[in-house]
Coordinates of all heavy atoms in Angstrom, one line a residue:
M991 N 10.1 -23.0 5.8 CA 9.2 -21.9 5.8 C 9.6 -20.8 6.8 O 9.9 -21.2 8.0 CB 7.8 -22.4 6.1 CG 6.8 -21.4 6.0 SD 5.2 -22.2 6.3 CE 4.1 -20.9 6.1
I992 N 9.7 -19.6 6.5 CA 10.1 -18.5 7.4 C 8.8 -17.8 7.9 O 7.9 -17.5 7.2 CB 10.9 -17.4 6.6 CG1 12.2 -18.1 6.2 CG2 11.1 -16.3 7.5 CD1 13.1 -17.2 5.3
N993 N 8.7 -17.6 9.2 CA 7.6 -17.0 9.8 C 8.1 -15.9 10.7 O 8.4 -16.1 11.9 CB 6.8 -18.0 10.7 CG 5.6 -17.4 11.3 OD1 5.3 -16.2 11.1 ND2 4.8 -18.2 12.0
L994 N 8.3 -14.7 10.1 CA 8.9 -13.6 10.8 C 8.1 -12.4 10.6 O 7.7 -12.1 9.4 CB 10.4 -13.4 10.3 CG 11.1 -12.2 10.9 CD1 11.3 -12.3 12.4 CD2 12.4 -12.0 10.2
F995 N 7.9 -11.6 11.6 CA 7.1 -10.3 11.5 C 8.0 -9.3 12.1 O 8.6 -9.5 13.2 CB 5.8 -10.4 12.2 CG 5.2 -9.0 12.3 CD1 4.5 -8.6 11.2 CD2 5.3 -8.3 13.4 CE1 3.8 -7.2 11.3 CE2 4.7 -7.0 13.6 CZ 4.0 -6.5 12.4
V996 N 8.2 -8.1 11.4 CA 8.9 -7.0 12.0 C 8.0 -5.8 11.7 O 7.6 -5.6 10.5 CB 10.3 -6.8 11.3 CG1 10.9 -5.6 11.9 CG2 11.1 -8.0 11.6
G997 N 7.6 -5.0 12.7 CA 6.8 -3.8 12.4 C 7.0 -2.8 13.5 O 7.6 -3.0 14.5
I998 N 6.7 -1.5 13.1 CA 6.8 -0.3 13.9 C 5.4 0.3 13.9 O 4.9 0.6 12.8 CB 7.9 0.7 13.4 CG1 9.2 0.0 13.4 CG2 7.9 1.9 14.3 CD1 10.3 0.9 12.8
G999 N 5.0 0.6 15.1 CA 3.7 1.2 15.2 C 3.5 1.8 16.5 O 4.3 1.8 17.4
R1000 N 2.2 2.3 16.8 CA 1.9 3.0 18.1 C 0.9 2.1 18.9 O 0.0 1.5 18.2 CB 1.3 4.3 17.9 CG 2.3 5.4 17.3 CD 1.9 6.7 17.4 NE 2.9 7.6 16.8 CZ 3.9 8.1 17.5 NH1 4.1 7.8 18.7 NH2 4.8 8.9 16.9
T1001 N 1.1 2.0 20.2 CA 0.2 1.3 21.0 C -1.1 2.0 21.1 O -1.2 3.2 21.2 CB 0.8 1.0 22.4 OG1 1.2 2.3 23.0 CG2 2.0 0.2 22.3
T1002 N -2.2 1.2 21.0 CA -3.6 1.8 21.0 C -4.1 2.0 22.4 O -5.1 2.8 22.6 CB -4.5 0.8 20.3 OG1 -4.6 -0.4 21.0 CG2 -4.1 0.7 18.8
K1003 N -3.5 1.4 23.4 CA -3.9 1.6 24.8 C -2.8 1.1 25.7 O -1.8 0.5 25.2 CB -5.2 0.9 25.2 CG -5.1 -0.6 25.0 CD -6.5 -1.2 25.3 CE -6.5 -2.7 25.0 NZ -7.8 -3.4 25.4
D1004 N -2.9 1.4 27.0 CA -1.8 0.9 27.9 C -1.7 -0.6 27.9 O -2.7 -1.4 27.5 CB -2.1 1.3 29.4 CG -1.9 2.8 29.5 OD1 -1.1 3.5 28.7 OD2 -2.3 3.3 30.6
I1005 N -0.6 -1.2 28.2 CA -0.3 -2.6 28.2 C -1.0 -3.3 29.2 O -1.2 -2.9 30.3 CB 1.2 -2.8 28.3 CG1 2.1 -2.0 27.3 CG2 1.6 -4.3 28.2 CD1 1.7 -2.2 25.9
D1006 N -1.6 -4.5 28.8 CA -2.4 -5.3 29.8 C -1.4 -6.4 30.2 O -1.1 -7.3 29.5 CB -3.5 -6.0 29.1 CG -4.3 -6.9 30.0 OD1 -4.3 -6.8 31.2 OD2 -5.0 -7.7 29.4
L1007 N -0.9 -6.3 31.5 CA 0.1 -7.2 32.0 C -0.6 -8.1 33.0 O -1.4 -7.6 34.0 CB 1.2 -6.5 32.7 CG 2.3 -7.5 33.4 CD1 3.0 -8.3 32.3 CD2 3.2 -6.6 34.2
R1008 N -0.5 -9.5 32.8 CA -1.1 -10.4 33.7 C -0.1 -11.5 33.9 O 0.9 -11.7 33.3 CB -2.4 -11.0 33.2 CG -3.5 -9.9 33.0 CD -4.8 -10.5 32.4 NE -5.7 -9.5 32.2 CZ -7.0 -9.7 31.9 NH1 -7.5 -10.9 32.0 NH2 -7.8 -8.7 31.7
Y1009 N -0.3 -12.3 34.9 CA 0.5 -13.5 35.3 C -0.3 -14.7 35.1 O -1.4 -14.8 35.6 CB 1.1 -13.4 36.6 CG 2.1 -12.2 36.7 CD1 1.7 -10.9 37.0 CD2 3.4 -12.4 36.4 CE1 2.6 -9.8 37.0 CE2 4.4 -11.4 36.5 CZ 3.9 -10.1 36.8 OH 4.9 -9.1 36.7
S1010 N 0.3 -15.8 34.5 CA -0.4 -17.1 34.4 C -0.4 -17.8 35.7 O 0.3 -17.3 36.6 CB 0.3 -17.9 33.3 OG 1.7 -18.2 33.7
Q1011 N -1.0 -18.9 35.8 CA -1.1 -19.7 37.0 C 0.3 -20.1 37.5 O 0.5 -20.3 38.7 CB -2.0 -20.9 36.8 CG -3.4 -20.5 36.8 CD -4.3 -21.8 36.6 OE1 -3.9 -22.8 36.3 NE2 -5.6 -21.6 36.8
N1012 N 1.2 -20.3 36.6 CA 2.6 -20.7 37.0 C 3.5 -19.5 37.2 O 4.7 -19.7 37.4 CB 3.2 -21.7 36.0 CG 3.5 -21.1 34.6 OD1 3.1 -20.0 34.4 ND2 3.9 -21.9 33.7
G1013 N 3.0 -18.3 37.1 CA 3.8 -17.2 37.4 C 4.5 -16.5 36.3 O 5.2 -15.5 36.4
T1014 N 4.2 -16.9 35.0 CA 4.8 -16.3 33.9 C 4.0 -15.0 33.5 O 2.8 -15.0 33.4 CB 4.7 -17.3 32.7 OG1 5.4 -18.5 33.0 CG2 5.4 -16.7 31.4
A1015 N 4.8 -13.9 33.3 CA 4.3 -12.6 32.9 C 3.8 -12.7 31.4 O 4.5 -13.2 30.6 CB 5.3 -11.6 33.1
V1016 N 2.6 -12.2 31.2 CA 2.0 -12.2 29.8 C 1.5 -10.7 29.5 O 0.7 -10.3 30.3 CB 1.0 -13.2 29.6 CG1 0.4 -13.1 28.2 CG2 1.4 -14.6 30.0
A1017 N 2.1 -10.1 28.6 CA 1.6 -8.8 28.2 C 0.9 -8.8 26.9 O 1.5 -9.4 25.9 CB 2.8 -7.8 28.1
R1018 N -0.3 -8.2 26.8 CA -1.0 -8.1 25.6 C -1.2 -6.7 25.2 O -1.5 -5.8 26.1 CB -2.3 -8.8 25.8 CG -2.3 -10.3 26.0 CD -3.6 -10.9 26.1 NE -3.5 -12.3 26.6 CZ -3.4 -13.2 25.7 NH1 -3.3 -13.0 24.4 NH2 -3.3 -14.5 26.1
F1019 N -1.0 -6.4 23.9 CA -1.2 -5.0 23.5 C -1.5 -5.1 21.9 O -1.3 -6.1 21.3 CB 0.0 -4.1 23.7 CG 1.3 -4.7 23.2 CD1 1.8 -4.2 21.9 CD2 2.0 -5.7 23.8 CE1 3.0 -4.6 21.5 CE2 3.2 -6.2 23.3 CZ 3.7 -5.6 22.1
T1020 N -2.0 -3.9 21.5 CA -2.3 -3.8 20.0 C -1.5 -2.7 19.5 O -1.4 -1.6 20.1 CB -3.8 -3.5 19.8 OG1 -4.5 -4.6 20.4 CG2 -4.2 -3.4 18.3
L1021 N -0.9 -2.9 18.3 CA -0.2 -1.9 17.6 C -0.9 -1.5 16.4 O -1.5 -2.2 15.6 CB 1.3 -2.5 17.0 CG 2.4 -2.6 17.9 CD1 3.6 -3.1 17.1 CD2 2.7 -1.3 18.6
A1022 N -1.0 -0.1 16.1 CA -1.6 0.5 15.0 C -0.4 0.9 14.0 O 0.5 1.6 14.4 CB -2.4 1.7 15.4
I1023 N -0.4 0.2 12.9 CA 0.7 0.4 12.0 C 0.1 1.0 10.8 O -0.8 0.4 10.1 CB 1.4 -1.1 11.6 CG1 2.0 -1.6 12.9 CG2 2.4 -0.8 10.5 CD1 2.6 -3.0 12.7
N1024 N 0.6 2.1 10.4 CA 0.2 2.9 9.2 C 0.3 2.1 7.9 O 1.3 1.5 7.8 CB 0.8 4.3 9.1 CG 0.5 5.2 10.1 OD1 -0.6 5.1 10.7 ND2 1.3 6.2 10.4
D1025 N -0.7 2.1 7.1 CA -0.6 1.5 5.8 C 0.4 2.2 4.9 O 0.4 3.5 4.8 CB -2.1 1.5 5.1 CG -2.1 0.7 3.9 OD1 -1.4 1.0 2.9 OD2 -2.9 -0.2 3.9
R1026 N 1.3 1.5 4.2 CA 2.3 2.1 3.3 C 1.7 2.9 2.2 O 2.2 3.9 1.8 CB 3.1 1.0 2.7 CG 3.9 0.2 3.6 CD 4.7 -0.9 2.9 NE 5.3 -0.5 1.7 CZ 6.1 -1.3 0.9 NH1 6.3 -2.5 1.3 NH2 6.6 -0.8 -0.2
F1027 N 0.6 2.5 1.7 CA 0.0 3.1 0.4 C -1.0 4.1 0.7 O -1.3 5.0 -0.1 CB -0.5 1.9 -0.5 CG 0.6 1.0 -0.8 CD1 0.6 -0.3 -0.2 CD2 1.7 1.3 -1.6 CE1 1.6 -1.2 -0.5 CE2 2.7 0.4 -1.9 CZ 2.7 -0.9 -1.3
N1028 N -1.8 3.9 1.8 CA -2.8 4.8 2.1 C -2.6 5.4 3.6 O -3.0 4.7 4.6 CB -4.2 4.1 2.0 CG -5.3 5.1 2.2 OD1 -5.2 6.2 2.6 ND2 -6.6 4.6 2.0
K1029 N -2.0 6.5 3.6 CA -1.7 7.0 5.0 C -2.9 7.3 5.9 O -2.7 7.5 7.1 CB -0.9 8.4 4.8 CG 0.4 8.2 4.0 CD 1.4 7.3 4.8 CE 2.7 7.1 4.0 NZ 3.5 6.1 4.5
D1030 N -4.1 7.3 5.4 CA -5.3 7.5 6.2 C -5.8 6.3 6.8 O -6.7 6.3 7.6 CB -6.4 8.1 5.3 CG -6.1 9.5 4.9 OD1 -5.3 10.2 5.5 OD2 -6.5 9.9 3.8
E1031 N -5.1 5.2 6.5 CA -5.6 3.9 7.1 C -4.5 3.2 8.0 O -3.3 3.5 7.7 CB -6.0 2.9 6.0 CG -7.2 3.3 5.3 CD -7.7 2.3 4.3 OE1 -7.3 1.1 4.3 OE2 -8.6 2.6 3.5
A1032 N -4.9 2.4 8.9 CA -3.9 1.7 9.7 C -4.3 0.2 9.8 O -5.5 -0.1 9.7 CB -3.8 2.3 11.1
N1033 N -3.3 -0.6 10.1 CA -3.5 -2.1 10.4 C -3.3 -2.2 11.9 O -2.4 -1.7 12.4 CB -2.6 -3.0 9.6 CG -2.8 -2.9 8.1 OD1 -3.9 -3.2 7.6 ND2 -1.8 -2.4 7.4
F1034 N -4.2 -3.0 12.5 CA -4.2 -3.2 13.9 C -3.6 -4.6 14.2 O -4.3 -5.6 13.8 CB -5.4 -2.9 14.6 CG -5.9 -1.5 14.5 CD1 -6.6 -1.1 13.3 CD2 -5.5 -0.6 15.4 CE1 -7.0 0.3 13.3 CE2 -5.8 0.7 15.3 CZ -6.6 1.2 14.2
I1035 N -2.6 -4.8 14.9 CA -1.9 -6.0 15.0 C -1.9 -6.4 16.5 O -1.4 -5.6 17.4 CB -0.4 -6.0 14.6 CG1 -0.2 -5.5 13.2 CG2 0.2 -7.3 14.7 CD1 -1.0 -6.3 12.1
N1036 N -2.5 -7.5 16.9 CA -2.6 -7.9 18.3 C -1.2 -8.6 18.6 O -0.8 -9.5 17.9 CB -3.7 -8.9 18.5 CG -5.1 -8.3 18.4 OD1 -5.3 -7.1 18.8 ND2 -6.0 -8.9 17.8
C1037 N -0.6 -8.3 19.8 CA 0.7 -8.8 20.1 C 0.6 -9.3 21.5 O -0.1 -8.8 22.4 CB 1.7 -7.6 20.1 SG 1.9 -6.8 18.5
V1038 N 1.5 -10.3 21.8 CA 1.7 -10.9 23.0 C 3.2 -11.1 23.3 O 3.9 -11.5 22.4 CB 1.0 -12.3 23.1 CG1 1.1 -12.9 24.5 CG2 -0.5 -12.2 22.7
A1039 N 3.6 -10.7 24.5 CA 5.0 -10.8 25.0 C 5.0 -11.6 26.2 O 4.0 -11.5 27.1 CB 5.7 -9.5 25.1
F1040 N 6.1 -12.3 26.5 CA 6.2 -13.2 27.7 C 7.3 -12.8 28.6 O 8.3 -12.3 28.1 CB 6.2 -14.6 27.2 CG 5.0 -15.1 26.5 CD1 5.0 -15.1 25.1 CD2 3.9 -15.5 27.1 CE1 3.9 -15.5 24.4 CE2 2.7 -16.0 26.4 CZ 2.8 -15.9 25.0
K1041 N 7.3 -13.3 29.7 CA 8.4 -13.3 30.8 C 8.9 -11.8 31.0 O 8.2 -10.9 31.1 CB 9.5 -14.2 30.4 CG 8.9 -15.7 30.3 CD 10.0 -16.7 30.0 CE 9.4 -18.1 29.9 NZ 10.4 -19.1 29.5
K1042 N 10.3 -11.7 31.0 CA 10.9 -10.5 31.3 C 10.6 -9.4 30.2 O 10.3 -8.2 30.6 CB 12.4 -10.6 31.4 CG 13.1 -9.4 31.9 CD 12.8 -9.1 33.4 CE 13.6 -8.0 33.9 NZ 13.1 -7.7 35.3
T1043 N 10.4 -9.8 29.0 CA 10.0 -8.9 27.9 C 8.7 -8.2 28.3 O 8.4 -7.1 28.1 CB 10.0 -9.6 26.6 OG1 11.3 -10.1 26.3 CG2 9.6 -8.6 25.4
A1044 N 7.7 -9.1 28.7 CA 6.4 -8.6 29.0 C 6.5 -7.5 30.2 O 5.8 -6.5 30.1 CB 5.5 -9.8 29.4
E1045 N 7.3 -7.8 31.2 CA 7.3 -6.9 32.3 C 8.0 -5.6 31.9 O 7.5 -4.5 32.3 CB 8.2 -7.6 33.4 CG 7.4 -8.7 34.1 CD 8.2 -9.5 35.1 OE1 9.4 -9.5 35.0 OE2 7.6 -10.1 36.0
L1046 N 9.0 -5.6 31.1 CA 9.7 -4.4 30.6 C 8.7 -3.6 29.7 O 8.6 -2.3 29.9 CB 11.0 -4.8 29.9 CG 12.1 -5.2 30.7 CD1 13.2 -5.7 29.9 CD2 12.6 -4.2 31.7
I1047 N 8.0 -4.2 28.9 CA 7.1 -3.5 28.0 C 6.0 -2.8 28.9 O 5.7 -1.7 28.7 CB 6.4 -4.4 27.0 CG1 7.4 -4.8 25.9 CG2 5.2 -3.8 26.3 CD1 6.9 -5.9 25.0
A1048 N 5.4 -3.5 29.8 CA 4.5 -3.0 30.7 C 5.0 -1.8 31.6 O 4.2 -0.9 31.8 CB 3.9 -4.0 31.6
Q1049 N 6.2 -1.9 31.9 CA 6.8 -0.9 32.8 C 7.1 0.4 31.9 O 6.9 1.5 32.5 CB 8.2 -1.4 33.4 CG 8.8 -0.4 34.3 CD 10.1 -1.0 34.9 OE1 10.4 -2.1 34.7 NE2 10.7 -0.2 35.7
Y1050 N 7.5 0.4 30.7 CA 8.0 1.5 30.0 C 7.2 2.0 28.9 O 7.3 3.1 28.4 CB 9.4 1.2 29.4 CG 10.4 1.0 30.5 CD1 11.0 -0.2 30.9 CD2 10.9 2.2 31.3 CE1 11.9 -0.3 31.8 CE2 11.8 2.1 32.3 CZ 12.4 0.8 32.5 OH 13.3 0.7 33.5
V1051 N 6.2 1.2 28.3 CA 5.4 1.6 27.2 C 4.0 1.9 27.6 O 3.4 1.2 28.4 CB 5.4 0.4 26.2 CG1 4.5 0.8 25.0 CG2 6.8 0.1 25.7
K1052 N 3.5 3.0 27.1 CA 2.1 3.5 27.5 C 1.4 3.7 26.2 O 1.9 3.7 25.1 CB 2.2 4.8 28.3 CG 3.0 4.6 29.6 CD 2.3 3.6 30.5 CE 3.1 3.6 31.8 NZ 2.9 2.3 32.5
K1053 N 0.1 4.0 26.3 CA -0.7 4.3 25.1 C -0.1 5.4 24.2 O 0.4 6.4 24.8 CB -2.1 4.8 25.6 CG -3.1 5.2 24.4 CD -4.4 5.7 24.9 CE -5.3 6.1 23.8 NZ -6.5 6.6 24.2
G1054 N 0.0 5.2 23.0 CA 0.5 6.1 22.0 C 2.0 6.1 21.8 O 2.5 6.7 20.8
H1055 N 2.7 5.3 22.6 CA 4.2 5.2 22.4 C 4.4 4.4 21.1 O 3.7 3.4 20.8 CB 4.8 4.5 23.5 CG 4.9 5.3 24.7 ND1 5.6 4.9 25.9 CD2 4.5 6.5 25.0 CE1 5.6 5.8 26.7 NE2 4.9 6.8 26.3
Q1056 N 5.5 4.8 20.4 CA 5.8 4.1 19.2 C 7.0 3.1 19.5 O 7.9 3.4 20.1 CB 6.4 5.1 18.2 CG 6.7 4.5 16.8 CD 7.2 5.5 15.8 OE1 8.0 6.3 16.0 NE2 6.6 5.3 14.6
I1057 N 6.7 1.8 19.1 CA 7.6 0.8 19.4 C 7.8 -0.1 18.2 O 7.0 -0.1 17.3 CB 7.3 -0.1 20.6 CG1 5.9 -0.8 20.3 CG2 7.2 0.7 21.9 CD1 5.6 -1.9 21.4
G1058 N 9.0 -0.8 18.1 CA 9.2 -1.8 17.1 C 9.1 -3.1 17.7 O 9.5 -3.4 18.8
V1059 N 8.5 -4.1 17.0 CA 8.3 -5.5 17.4 C 8.9 -6.4 16.4 O 8.9 -6.1 15.2 CB 6.9 -5.8 17.8 CG1 6.4 -5.1 18.9 CG2 5.9 -5.8 16.6
E1060 N 9.4 -7.6 16.9 CA 9.9 -8.6 16.0 C 9.4 -9.9 16.6 O 9.5 -10.1 17.8 CB 11.4 -8.6 16.0 CG 12.0 -9.8 15.1 CD 13.5 -9.7 15.1 OE1 14.1 -8.6 15.3 OE2 14.0 -10.8 15.0
G1061 N 8.9 -10.8 15.8 CA 8.4 -12.1 16.3 C 7.8 -13.0 15.2 O 8.1 -12.7 14.0
R1062 N 7.0 -13.8 15.6 CA 6.4 -14.8 14.6 C 4.9 -14.5 14.5 O 4.3 -14.0 15.5 CB 6.7 -16.2 14.9 CG 6.1 -16.7 16.2 CD 6.6 -18.2 16.5 NE 5.9 -18.7 17.7 CZ 4.8 -19.3 17.7 NH1 4.0 -19.5 16.7 NH2 4.3 -19.7 19.0
V1063 N 4.3 -14.8 13.4 CA 2.9 -14.7 13.3 C 2.2 -15.9 13.6 O 2.6 -17.0 13.1 CB 2.5 -14.3 11.8 CG1 1.0 -14.2 11.6 CG2 3.2 -12.9 11.5
Q1064 N 1.1 -15.8 14.4 CA 0.2 -17.0 14.7 C -1.2 -16.6 14.6 O -1.6 -15.6 15.2 CB 0.6 -17.6 16.1 CG -0.2 -18.7 16.4 CD 0.2 -19.3 17.8 OE1 1.3 -19.1 18.3 NE2 -0.7 -20.0 18.4
T1065 N -2.0 -17.3 13.7 CA -3.3 -17.0 13.6 C -4.2 -18.1 14.0 O -4.0 -19.3 13.7 CB -3.6 -16.7 12.1 OG1 -3.3 -17.8 11.3 CG2 -2.9 -15.4 11.7
G1066 N -5.2 -17.9 14.9 CA -6.1 -18.9 15.3 C -5.4 -20.0 16.1 O -4.3 -19.8 16.7
S1067 N -6.1 -21.1 16.2 CA -5.5 -22.3 16.9 C -5.4 -23.4 15.9 O -6.3 -23.6 15.1 CB -6.2 -22.6 18.2 OG -7.7 -22.8 17.8
P1068 N -4.4 -24.3 16.2 CA -4.2 -25.4 15.2 C -5.3 -26.4 15.3 O -6.1 -26.6 16.1 CB -2.9 -26.0 15.7 CG -2.6 -25.4 17.0 CD -3.4 -24.3 17.2

């Protein structure tokens, strides 16, 4: 089974960078991705990045910046 997400969108607010108890950087942000078929609508995708990627995103990406993301989809908890 393949679990791959690739998307390009704009960040809805500045990146929320925090550190876990063991010192791992965790960045949370939401991407607004325009709907292919209805340009007046968008899908909002919650994203999480870890470690050095999280720190780089927090340093360089601000609200409204367009970025591309690649990763896996995870919904809810098992």
Side-chain angles (χ1 to χ4, degrees):
M991 181 177 185
I992 297 174
N993 184 355
L994 176 66
F995 171 80
V996 178
I998 298 173
R1000 294 195 178 275
T1001 54
T1002 59
K1003 60 183 178 179
D1004 287 343
I1005 308 303
D1006 178 23
L1007 178 65
R1008 297 182 185 193
Y1009 290 88
S1010 67
Q1011 289 181 343
N1012 66 1
T1014 302
V1016 179
R1018 295 181 184 276
F1019 57 99
T1020 302
L1021 277 185
I1023 299 177
N1024 290 336
D1025 190 297
R1026 291 176 48 174
F1027 304 106
N1028 185 351
K1029 298 298 181 190
D1030 294 332
E1031 293 186 16
N1033 296 299
F1034 295 90
I1035 311 298
N1036 293 321
C1037 302
V1038 181
F1040 299 95
K1041 300 181 181 177
K1042 190 65 173 175
T1043 302
E1045 292 175 332
L1046 289 170
I1047 289 172
Q1049 183 177 356
Y1050 293 108
V1051 178
K1052 302 298 179 206
K1053 177 182 177 179
H1055 285 187
Q1056 186 176 44
I1057 62 171
V1059 297
E1060 177 182 331
R1062 64 185 181 89
V1063 174
Q1064 182 176 335
T1065 58
S1067 57

